[in-house]
Amino acid sequence: MHMAGRLVHRITPEDTGSRVSIRIHLPGGGFTDIVGVLESWNDGVLAVRRRDGREARVEESSIAGSRVVPDVPPRRRGTAGGRHSSGPPG
């Protein structure tokens, strides 16, 4: 999304169904990121389903940068703090 100091808008309507990251301009200035599955892109409005199930609607004109991102890896079982837990010391 960010290359040599500039934001790049890379997603297209053909990316519907893919997990995307979208950086949008905030009305008061600055930016925020939305990550989720692109569900639709109609009449200049994108619908993105976030991980928590909420839908974010994004005006195409507010997009500063975007890209397709990999799916979230499945959570590993038996890990604590990013390391494998082998059970109590023994």
Side-chain angles (χ1 to χ4, degrees):
M1 189 160 24
H2 193 269
M3 292 183 59
R6 67 169 209 233
L7 297 170
V8 180
H9 179 25
R10 293 191 175 145
I11 65 172
T12 68
E14 287 75 36
D15 293 313
T16 300
S18 298
R19 186 167 177 261
V20 297
S21 175
I22 302 172
R23 178 160 292 173
I24 60 172
H25 295 278
L26 293 174
F31 301 94
T32 192
D33 294 331
I34 298 170
V35 178
V37 175
L38 179 61
E39 291 196 329
S40 66
W41 187 327
N42 298 307
D43 300 322
V45 178
L46 291 72
V48 179
R49 182 71 54 192
R50 295 176 182 222
R51 181 173 52 185
D52 65 5
R54 292 181 299 148
E55 180 184 78
R57 298 188 66 76
V58 178
E59 293 283 336
E60 186 175 3
S61 61
S62 71
I63 297 175
S66 65
R67 65 187 178 112
V68 174
V69 295
D71 289 334
V72 177
R75 292 186 72 115
R76 299 174 103 177
R77 298 179 121 215
T79 61
R83 292 183 283 173
H84 286 286
S85 173
S86 58

